[in-house]
Amino acid sequence: MRTGKSDTAIPNNTVKFNQTPKMKEKLFSFSINRSLIIALVGLLALGACKSKKKAVEPAPAPAPVETVEQAPPPPPVASAEEVAAEKLENYFNSVASSGSASMANQSIQETLSMFSNQETPVLIVIHEENGIKDYDEPTTIKKYLEYLKDTKKNLNFISDIRLDANGKVSELELRRK
């Protein structure tokens, strides 16, 4: 061992530096900076752990949303005229397609019960332009039904129907199909 100015023994492998006050100050500030850096890294690590926990936690379920189910709209209510027109179309087809004269006559009587009288006018539109209608020769419902029975063809459809106060057909307008 080597001895120096002091009586303290210094191991052979240790080199002694003379530390100036400036060096001591830098060494002290380095250890403070080092401690601060370690503390910051620790805080960041703790913060990262918290954010990982938040990421792992399931998100709260969204509040239930009330759904209002709308009922389907009611079927359109058919007017009395529409109902009568549908029945008449069926009767006209029945008269035209009857297999015998007696069956046709029975269908004619049922059909006539829907009219205010046997002389109810039946107008057949043969041409219309700019809202102006041209009609075939006017006829009555009785004559028209006999025509259907004789020809066995229903070539027209109901385009307008008028009912009286009792719900009976008072006027009928037909067109070619």
Side-chain angles (χ1 to χ4, degrees):
M1 283 229 249
R2 183 167 49 142
T3 58
K5 293 181 184 176
S6 68
D7 291 342
T8 341
I10 301 175
N12 283 340
N13 58 357
T14 308
V15 179
K16 185 176 178 185
F17 291 103
N18 288 332
Q19 294 180 351
T20 62
K22 262 189 174 182
M23 287 178 82
K24 285 182 182 177
E25 188 178 312
K26 282 184 181 181
L27 188 58
F28 179 71
S29 91
F30 175 72
S31 16
I32 289 177
N33 286 341
R34 187 174 174 196
S35 299
L36 286 174
I37 290 173
I38 291 172
L40 282 173
V41 168
L43 285 174
L44 288 174
L46 286 175
C49 288
K50 286 182 182 175
S51 66
K52 283 182 184 176
K53 285 181 184 175
K54 287 180 184 175
V56 171
E57 291 177 9
V65 177
E66 284 189 38
T67 56
V68 178
E69 291 186 29
Q70 293 181 346
V77 178
S79 68
E81 287 84 3
E82 292 171 331
V83 171
E86 189 174 327
K87 279 185 173 181
L88 279 177
E89 288 286 351
N90 289 336
Y91 279 132
F92 291 165
N93 289 330
S94 176
V95 170
S97 64
S98 292
S100 68
S102 64
M103 288 176 58
N105 288 335
Q106 183 180 352
S107 293
I108 287 173
Q109 290 307 310
E110 290 174 16
T111 307
L112 287 174
S113 70
M114 292 185 63
F115 288 84
S116 50
N117 63 55
Q118 292 185 4
E119 301 301 313
T120 300
V122 176
L123 304 171
I124 301 172
V125 178
I126 55 174
H127 179 73
E128 181 176 2
E129 190 173 325
N130 298 326
I132 299 172
K133 298 175 185 176
D134 290 328
Y135 297 98
D136 197 357
E137 182 179 338
T139 188
T140 65
I141 189 58
K142 176 74 172 160
K143 289 179 184 175
Y144 183 72
L145 291 170
E146 292 294 330
Y147 168 80
L148 290 177
K149 179 175 95 173
D150 293 342
T151 62
K152 299 197 177 291
K153 292 181 185 175
N154 182 13
L155 302 176
N156 301 309
F157 68 93
I158 298 170
S159 64
D160 191 22
I161 188 169
R162 307 262 165 95
L163 302 179
D164 63 12
N166 298 324
K168 302 274 188 176
V169 179
S170 61
E171 188 176 311
L172 187 63
E173 183 180 275
L174 305 174
R175 289 181 189 260
R176 282 271 190 214
K177 287 184 181 176

